[in-house]
């Protein structure tokens, strides 16, 4: 699945949040979206999965205009791990994963053995089979992310969007989740706040600043311009410190 | 200086109400009502009346000149008044738009020296009304008809209480002879009815205020139950110790009445209320297998006649004629 | 263990859960049947069991039983008790399913038709007809006025609670509560203007809920609206689950959130209007029953909705039996009984779960 954004702009309550976003995610690749807080990463992702409507521009999947698809059809192509948990009602892990089958079902169709099989496989792939009967709200942060990824897998979509999937996780679980996502081999676009993670896991990095995609690689110049910090590699850092001492 | 003067005047004006709590023994006139002793130096001359029966009672005693304010009750139109009373009703100033006494401040501003009503709802502080105590303190003792002093006493009220009330009002206004004449007349009418219906089979009666479920009707306690008995009837809901209450449709259907009495008030507080015909149709629909339904045997009873007052006795005569027409030929 | 084996064991565990669900459904269906049998058998006037069921049998299959009962007994059982029992089932199921749907819709466990002002909107319409007379409202019937009130409340809540086309659940609840009190103030004012005694007392009794007016001729509308409404809501379990998990989640699962919410709001107000018009505003059922259902079978609406429907039907049937018999021949308002019986039961369930 190839995702293409061409001149996408998004306005919320009259304020332009995304001004101009162009990017391409190649089939089977892991693209990261980075940028300072408030640069429009989440808004752009939400626009792709149609929680928001773009004010301008074109979003296409395999050369198909997203706006021409029904919501159900979109959901069969795009799965999302958002920064949102079912908190008010006491769903079990099974219930949450089964939600992934929603776009494949009509109101009157029954949940079949095949649906259950897909869900069981999805849980297995994120190594969370043992959690099936647990209440979702009692899980740890890392477990919750695994379960939400399992839900996305049960959705059987070929494009996966993740919005800050490592938020609120300790470092071990951050790496754990990112390894898991990369190994799934799906076409993936993830908003990440940790630049080191982006460099380590992503095939391609898009940098956003004040509503624009300003770069498609993370060079020291881009980091300095966008984040206002100096980025150095470890060897360079050691080398410079030695030079100062001598 | 000028402001001070006004203040002083206000103070004395307020102070003038206190002598009302003067020693009791000096008073010439004393009657008992609702467990209270009402005392007067001289017959009241600024009377405020409440719901219809209270005004009717004073008019029957020829006291129309003493009444300075009345409530509004044109619920049954011009026909809702007893003969000759409509002219007096029109002549007396109206101080309330409803059957209730006016709100507290308006009521106290009337400067009444006597207040008469039936029931307690016009003295309920929760409704914004002046209480019996407040009126008493303001120099306007409250007289309640029919001993409707509390919900419990309402259930125990008797038709005969009307004679006690008339006698007491005769004492208060110094018109004992008129009161005794009215009492004798009413007692004669009651005795006549009693003689005529004696020995005749009791007619099974349902007295209702309508409803399709639950049905509002009169149970085996209170005035209406006695009125039915005195008119030669038998209240089909007598087993329930209640006056005006709600009954399940099952009980009303099983009661199997032979005749229906329907409380009639075409206009209720200025708004159209269900007509007696509508209410009768509803209730006879519930008791559709009863003789009352098959014969459509229905008598409307003015709402005023279901409240304490001498109209109860006039209504008993009407009810007896309706239940036992043969006895009045 | 291979992946396939694990998957198979997973399926078994899921199926085991479904059989508990089946058991709960079966027990509740039995409770519905038993409570309805009880409702037809007992009442303010005693009618023997043989007479009761002879009457019902003879009505369903004319000529099957030779009448050995009086016409009044037949009237009591067939004209009063049976339509009332059926209405209790309909309203109980309707209130509960609507409550469950609204809770998911606004993602607030406290949501019910009362909290969102829908019930009081319907009550306002009904009180206006009751007290001011149908002529004052252009000849509207009670049901139509109640439905109009419910819809008015709904539109107001919806308009007040949205921003830029998005419905904000917290605003929805706040707007609903504010409107609830506003409507309550208006109909209380109308009632107070009606003054003392009769009219006000009758309306108050009715406002607290009563099925006393149930007759065959008034059953078709609630049966059609509630039957169709509940059936439609029952198959919405997937989008409701998705929405309960979050708005963005629901969108990403293919639910057109704005359209779905609007559709659900209209489809819940219709039954609420009809229910308020036929039985007054019965509180507590719509709030409590869905929670009790969740405690029994978990949060998944695939199970919660049917369990709520059956549980609510059986519960309101028992409540109405109590309302008719506890203080016979006088009747208690239903809201008094729903709270008295429902609250302790609910607290017990809650504690047992903890």
């Amino acid at each position: 699945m190839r995702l293409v954004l061409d001149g996408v702009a998004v306005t919320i309550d009259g304020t332009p949040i995304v001004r101009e976003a162009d990017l391409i995610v190649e089939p089977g690749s892991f693209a990261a979206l980075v940028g300072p807080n408030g640069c429009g990463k989440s808004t752009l992702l939400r626009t792709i999965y149609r929680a928001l409507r773009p004010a301008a521009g074109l979003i296409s999947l395999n050369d198909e205009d997203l706006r021409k698809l029904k919501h159900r059809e979109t959901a069969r192509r795009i799965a999302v791990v958002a920064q949102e948990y079912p908190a008010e009602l006491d769903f079990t892990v099974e219930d949450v994963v089964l939600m992934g089958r929603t776009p494949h079902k009509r109101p009157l169709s029954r949940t079949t053995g095949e649906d259950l099989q897909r869900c069981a496989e999805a849980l297995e792939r994120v190594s969370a089979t043992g959690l099936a009967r647990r209440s979702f709200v009692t899980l740890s942060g890392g477990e919750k992310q695994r379960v939400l990824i399992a839900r996305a897998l049960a959705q059987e979509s070929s494009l996966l969007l993740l919005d800050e999937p490592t938020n609120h996780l300790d470092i071990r679980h951050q790496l754990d989740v990112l390894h898991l996502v990369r190994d799934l081999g799906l076409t993936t676009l993830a908003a990440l706040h940790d630049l080191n993670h982006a460099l380590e896991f992503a095939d391609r990095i898009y940098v956003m600043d004040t509503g624009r995609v300003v770069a498609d690689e993370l060079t020291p110049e881009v980091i300095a311009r966008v984040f206002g910090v100096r980025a150095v590699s470890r060897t360079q850092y050691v080398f410079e410190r030695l030079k100062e001492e001598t | 200086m000028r402001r001070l003067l006004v203040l002083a005047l206000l103070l004395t004006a307020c102070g003038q109400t206190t002598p009302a709590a003067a020693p009791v023994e000096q008073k010439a006139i004393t009657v008992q009502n609702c467990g209270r002793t009402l005392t007067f130096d001289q017959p009241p001359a600024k009377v405020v009346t409440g719901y219809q029966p209270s005004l009717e009672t004073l008019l029957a005693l020829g006291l129309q000149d003493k009444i300075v304010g009345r409530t509004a009750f044109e619920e049954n139109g011009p026909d809702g008044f007893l003969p000759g009373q409509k002219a007096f009703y029109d002549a007396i100033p109206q101080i309330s738009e409803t059957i209730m006494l006016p709100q507290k401040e308006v009521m106290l501003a009337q400067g009444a020296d006597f207040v008469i009503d039936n029931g307690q709802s016009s003295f309920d502080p929760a409704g914004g009304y002046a209480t019996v105590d407040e009126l008493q303190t303001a120099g306007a003792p409250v007289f309640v008809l029919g001993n409707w002093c509390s919900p419990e006493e309402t259930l125990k009220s008797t038709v005969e209480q009307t004679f006690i009330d008339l006698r007491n009002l005769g004492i208060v206004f110094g018109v004992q002879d008129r009161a005794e004449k009215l009492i004798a007349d009413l007692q004669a009418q009651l005795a006549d009815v009693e003689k005529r219906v004696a020995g005749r089979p009791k007619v099974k009666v349902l007295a209702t205020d309508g409803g399709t479920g639950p049905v509002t009707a009169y149970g085996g306690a209170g005035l209406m139950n006695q009125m039915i008995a005195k008119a030669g009837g038998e209240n089909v809901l007598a087993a329930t110790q209640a006056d005006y209450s709600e009954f399940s449709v099952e009980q009303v259907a099983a009661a199997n009445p032979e005749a229906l009495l329907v409380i009639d008030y075409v206009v209720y507080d200025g708004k159209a209320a269900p007509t007696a015909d509508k209410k009768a149709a509803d209730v006879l629909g519930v008791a559709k297998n009863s003789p009352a339904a098959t014969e459509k045997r229905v008598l409307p009873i003015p709402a005023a006649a279901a409240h304490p007052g001498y109209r109860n006795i006039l209504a008993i005569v009407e009810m007896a004629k309706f239940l036992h027409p043969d006895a009045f030929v | 263990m291979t992946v396939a084996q694990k998957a198979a064991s997973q399926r078994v565990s899921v199926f085991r859960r479904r059989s508990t669900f089946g058991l709960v459904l079966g027990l509740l269906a039995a409770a519905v049947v038993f409570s309805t049998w009880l409702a037809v058998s007992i009442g303010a006037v005693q009618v023997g069991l043989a007479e009761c069921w002879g009457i019902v049998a003879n009505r369903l299959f004319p000529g099957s039983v030779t009448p050995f009962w009086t016409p009044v007994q037949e009237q009591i059982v067939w004209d009063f008790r049976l339509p009332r029992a059926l209405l209790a089932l309909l309203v109980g199921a309707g209130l509960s399913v609507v409550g469950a749907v609204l809770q998911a819709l606004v993602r607030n466990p406290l949501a019910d038709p009362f909290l969102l002002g829908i019930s009081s909107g319907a009550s306002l319409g009904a009180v206006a007809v009751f007290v001011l007379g149908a002529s004052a409202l252009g000849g509207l019937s009670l049901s139509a006025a109640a439905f109009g009130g419910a819809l008015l409340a709904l539109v107001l809540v919806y308009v007040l609670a949205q921003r830029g086309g998005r419905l904000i659940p917290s605003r929805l609840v706040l707007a609903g509560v504010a409107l609830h009190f506003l409507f309550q103030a208006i109909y209380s004012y109308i009632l107070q203007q009606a003054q003392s005694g009769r009219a006000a007392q009758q309306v108050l009794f009715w406002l607290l809920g009563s099925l006393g007016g149930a007759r065959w001729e008034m059953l078709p509308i609630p049966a059609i609206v509630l039957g169709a409404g509940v059936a439609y809501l029952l198959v919405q379990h997937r989008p409701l689950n998705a929405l309960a998990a979050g708005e963005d989640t629901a969108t990403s699962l293919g639910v057109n959130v704005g359209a779905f919410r609007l559709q659900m709001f209209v489809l819940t107000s219709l039954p609420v209007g009809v229910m308020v018009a036929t039985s007054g505003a019965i509180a507590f059922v719509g709030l409590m029953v869905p929670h009790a259902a969740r405690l029994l079978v978990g949060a998944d609406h695939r199970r919660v909705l049917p369990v709520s429907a059956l549980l609510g039907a059986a519960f309101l049937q028992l409540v109405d039996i109590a309302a008719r018999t506890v203080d016979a021949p006088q009747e208690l308002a239903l809201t008094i009984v729903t709270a008295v019986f429902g609250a302790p039961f609910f607290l017990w369930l809650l504690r047992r779960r903890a």
Side-chain angles (χ1 to χ4, degrees), chain B residues 16-36:
Chain B
Q16 275 169 355
T17 54
T18 35
V24 169
E25 55 269 29
Q26 294 176 0
K27 307 274 177 151
I29 305 166
T30 303
V31 294
Q32 297 292 319
N33 186 273
C34 277
R36 311 165 65 90

Side-chain angles (χ1 to χ4, degrees), chain A residues 13 46 49 84 109 155, chain C residues 11 163 238 248-249 252:
Chain A
D13 288 343
R46 295 184 64 212
Y49 64 80
E84 188 179 59
S109 51
Q155 208 168 329
Chain C
R11 275 170 68 181
R163 244 184 84 184
R238 287 194 191 90
D248 278 11
T249 304
S252 73

Side-chain angles (χ1 to χ4, degrees), chain C residues 168-208:
Chain C
I168 300 159
S170 58
R171 276 174 72 137
L172 193 74
V173 173
L174 288 176
V177 170
L179 278 178
H180 167 65
F181 284 110
L182 179 66
F183 289 138
Q184 203 178 30
I186 298 173
Y187 72 65
S188 301
Y189 172 76
I190 297 176
L191 279 178
Q192 210 178 3
Q193 284 303 97
Q195 293 273 3
S196 71
R198 308 175 187 103
Q201 207 178 348
Q202 281 171 12
V203 177
L204 273 179
F205 181 83
W206 176 83
L207 270 184
L208 288 173

Side-chain angles (χ1 to χ4, degrees), chain C residues 40-298:
Chain C
V40 175
S41 305
I42 61 179
V45 172
Q46 214 166 6
V47 180
L49 275 185
E51 283 87 350
C52 267
W53 294 99
I55 291 164
V56 174
N58 196 41
R59 282 287 190 148
L60 293 177
F61 310 102
S64 61
V65 187
T66 317
F68 56 94
W69 49 82
T70 66
V72 169
Q73 285 177 327
E74 175 151 352
Q75 186 194 5
I76 287 173
V77 172
W78 186 258
D79 289 349
F80 298 155
R81 287 186 191 170
L82 207 58
R84 183 169 181 160
L86 294 178
L87 188 65
L89 296 180
L90 284 172
V91 171
L95 285 172
S96 307
V97 171
V98 164
V101 168
L102 287 176
Q103 284 165 13
L105 222 50
V106 301
R107 301 184 70 199
N108 189 318
L110 285 178
D112 76 345
F114 278 85
L115 199 74
L116 296 183
I118 307 174
S119 278
S120 32
S123 297
L124 174 60
V127 166
V129 170
F130 223 96
V131 176
L132 304 176
S135 53
L137 292 172
L140 272 186
S141 73
L142 197 74
S143 308
F147 173 62
L151 208 61
L152 170 78
L154 206 87
V155 169
L156 279 176
V157 171
Y158 192 79
V159 168
L160 289 171
Q162 67 157 353
R163 244 184 84 184
R166 270 191 82 197
L167 207 58
I168 300 159
S170 58
R171 276 174 72 137
L172 193 74
V173 173
L174 288 176
V177 170
L179 278 178
H180 167 65
F181 284 110
L182 179 66
F183 289 138
Q184 203 178 30
I186 298 173
Y187 72 65
S188 301
Y189 172 76
I190 297 176
L191 279 178
Q192 210 178 3
Q193 284 303 97
Q195 293 273 3
S196 71
R198 308 175 187 103
Q201 207 178 348
Q202 281 171 12
V203 177
L204 273 179
F205 181 83
W206 176 83
L207 270 184
L208 288 173
S210 166
L211 295 166
R215 296 290 189 283
W216 286 114
E217 56 269 26
M218 57 159 284
L219 269 186
I221 293 178
I224 293 166
V225 172
L226 293 179
V230 167
Y232 187 82
L233 294 175
L234 280 180
V235 299
Q236 303 302 319
H237 56 90
R238 287 194 191 90
L240 284 173
N241 276 343
L243 201 55
E247 255 177 80
D248 278 11
T249 304
T251 309
S252 73
L253 291 172
V255 179
N256 186 346
V257 172
F260 180 68
R261 271 211 171 114
L262 185 62
Q263 180 198 18
M264 286 296 106
F265 273 114
V266 173
L267 287 177
T268 48
S269 78
L270 189 69
V272 169
V274 169
M275 285 187 286
V276 170
T278 51
S279 57
I282 304 168
F284 210 67
V285 178
L287 173 67
M288 188 205 70
V289 170
H291 286 290
R294 280 185 206 110
L295 292 174
L296 288 171
V297 294

Side-chain angles (χ1 to χ4, degrees), chain A residues 72-133:
Chain A
R72 257 165 56 85
E73 291 168 346
T74 310
R76 283 196 294 241
R77 290 163 173 77
I78 307 178
V80 180
V81 176
Q83 294 192 63
E84 188 179 59
Y85 300 126
E88 286 81 4
L89 297 177
D90 192 11
F91 287 105
T92 64
V93 166
E94 258 172 15
D95 295 337
V96 172
V97 178
L98 257 173
M99 286 177 196
R101 301 303 296 165
T102 305
H104 298 278
K105 293 287 158 185
R106 297 255 164 217
L108 283 174
S109 51
R110 290 174 56 89
T111 300
T112 61
E114 196 204 325
D115 293 321
L116 298 172
Q117 177 103 35
R118 292 273 172 284
C119 294
E121 284 164 9
L123 267 182
E124 175 64 29
R125 267 179 90 183
V126 301
S127 316
T129 304
L131 302 176
R133 309 292 292 276

Side-chain angles (χ1 to χ4, degrees), chain B residues 212 245 250-251 265 269 286, chain C residues 75 81 194 198 215 329-330:
Chain B
T212 54
S245 190
E250 293 188 13
Q251 215 196 3
Y265 44 97
D269 286 326
V286 172
Chain C
Q75 186 194 5
R81 287 186 191 170
R198 308 175 187 103
R215 296 290 189 283
Q330 293 169 65

